Amino acid sequence: MSSVSIECVAEGCRIGESPVWDDREGALLYVDITGRKVCRWSPVTRQAQAIALDAPVSSVALRQSGGYVITLGTRFAALKWKEELVTTIAQVDKDKANTRFNDGKVDPAGRYFAGTMAEEIRPAVLERRQGSLYTLLPDLSVVKHFGQVDISNGLDWSLDHRTFFYIDSLSYSVDAFDYDLQTGKIGNRRNIYKLEKEESIPDGMCIDTEGKLWVACYDGGRVIRLDPETGKRLQTVKLPVDKTTSCCFGGKDYSEMFVTSASDGMDKEWLSRQPQAGGIFKITGLGVKGVPPYPFAG
């Protein structure tokens, strides 16, 4: 085993989320949901630039035609970075007053999957089963897959593109669906991993080139590596903060892992013990590489 090292590369998020490596810019994108901003961190300058937005922004993805797509409040939207220009593409949950988007990711065919949740009263406390899972198609139409979701969260696809992995956080489990790449349809939901008490709440997720899943554990202060075939946990990497929210691979060869975290819901005493809460962490030496993110095809 190579030795794993962890470094805090950026600070200051209230709820850091949705890390994604932008190879075009050689930079890490992420969002601060309650801070209402999209950030881009450069390993060259070691600085993060940010664009402030008018609503909670919960995920960001690359766009094939340039710029980015984001989930903003209950909207799918396009973001042009240089111009700081946001354009609404589509709105969801029109019949609900108190929901917002949460995590989102683009599938191997260029469709943008993202789910919703009720607005939180405080972290992980909310009206149950108000969320849904949606897809923004390349023709800019929206498909709803299912409702009755508590906190729509981590998502990714198997290396053969035949399985969709999904987390509804308050089920404390990682689920798998059969996945049809041609149509984007999902079915045959099943549980592949139940979190243990000390792992706490499953949040964001990504896959490595060996087909193993990495799950960030909110309030668990760790990322765990799972084998979706056997349902076994293979590895635990602990971080110096409790509220680890999501993870992705990045860097030149996708051998570095980036982990986002949150500080919302922590009192002064807790924050004094974990001054890096809300930071972005870079983990090296894991000995595995990640799959580059897919761009939205619309």
Side-chain angles (χ1 to χ4, degrees):
M1 280 292 291
S2 47
S3 69
V4 173
S5 87
I6 301 171
E7 176 195 1
C8 184
V9 296
E11 289 184 335
C13 286
R14 289 180 56 189
I15 304 180
E17 259 288 0
S18 184
V20 59
W21 185 258
D22 182 353
D23 206 38
R24 297 172 298 197
E25 298 289 334
L28 180 77
L29 288 161
Y30 57 95
V31 301
D32 181 349
I33 301 180
T34 42
R36 299 187 169 196
K37 56 192 182 189
V38 180
C39 306
R40 194 163 77 182
W41 175 81
S42 162
V44 177
T45 64
R46 299 188 66 76
Q47 298 293 312
Q49 300 170 296
I51 292 179
L53 297 164
D54 65 355
V57 55
S58 61
S59 73
V60 57
L62 312 178
R63 191 176 191 179
Q64 211 166 285
S65 56
Y68 305 111
V69 280
I70 58 176
T71 47
L72 182 67
T74 52
R75 292 172 282 159
F76 283 107
L79 170 64
K80 288 189 171 168
W81 187 270
K82 278 198 185 71
E83 299 86 341
E84 300 195 14
L85 181 69
V86 175
T87 317
T88 297
I89 296 171
Q91 179 140 21
V92 304
D93 281 4
K94 288 181 184 151
D95 57 330
K96 292 198 163 97
N98 74 327
T99 59
R100 67 161 173 83
F101 266 118
N102 200 37
D103 208 353
K105 193 171 278 185
V106 176
D107 82 352
R111 307 175 188 97
Y112 191 10
F113 278 65
T116 57
M117 59 184 277
E119 291 277 10
E120 291 173 301
I121 299 155
R122 55 184 185 276
V125 178
L126 72 169
E127 192 181 344
R128 304 282 300 257
R129 299 191 174 80
Q130 296 301 300
S132 301
L133 181 67
Y134 295 95
T135 299
L136 178 69
L137 300 175
D139 68 3
L140 308 187
S141 65
V142 175
V143 170
K144 178 176 171 177
H145 295 281
F146 50 78
Q148 298 290 308
V149 174
D150 286 325
I151 301 179
S152 191
N153 233 319
L155 53 177
D156 217 327
W157 290 265
S158 61
L159 302 184
D160 66 3
H161 306 160
R162 291 168 71 161
T163 307
F164 168 61
F165 300 108
Y166 178 68
I167 291 168
D168 178 354
S169 288
L170 296 188
S171 70
Y172 296 92
S173 72
V174 181
D175 290 351
F177 293 77
D178 293 346
Y179 180 68
D180 185 327
L181 184 66
Q182 298 314 115
T183 63
K185 284 193 165 61
I186 57 177
N188 185 27
R189 185 175 190 167
R190 60 232 178 241
N191 171 255
I192 56 167
Y193 183 78
K194 265 289 193 222
L195 272 81
E196 292 175 15
K197 195 167 172 48
E198 73 275 8
E199 291 168 344
S200 208
I201 302 172
D203 201 329
M205 169 168 59
C206 66
I207 197 164
D208 64 32
T209 56
E210 294 173 12
K212 308 297 188 279
L213 298 173
W214 293 82
V215 177
C217 300
Y218 182 83
D219 278 345
R222 66 192 71 194
V223 290
I224 54 176
R225 187 182 191 223
L226 309 176
D227 185 335
E229 299 294 317
T230 63
K232 296 273 189 290
R233 184 184 66 237
L234 304 172
Q235 192 177 350
T236 299
V237 180
K238 294 195 175 171
L239 285 98
V241 293
D242 287 330
K243 294 187 181 293
T244 37
T245 53
S246 192
C247 51
C248 80
F249 285 92
K252 279 193 291 286
D253 58 357
Y254 293 91
S255 67
E256 299 165 346
M257 175 176 278
F258 292 93
V259 179
T260 50
S261 71
S263 57
D264 269 15
M266 296 174 68
D267 61 20
K268 278 203 175 75
E269 195 271 326
W270 197 352
L271 286 166
S272 72
R273 280 187 286 120
Q274 298 187 358
Q276 294 174 321
I280 310 300
F281 297 86
K282 181 174 83 169
I283 306 178
T284 51
L286 288 172
V288 289
K289 293 180 181 181
V291 177
Y294 304 104
F296 175 60

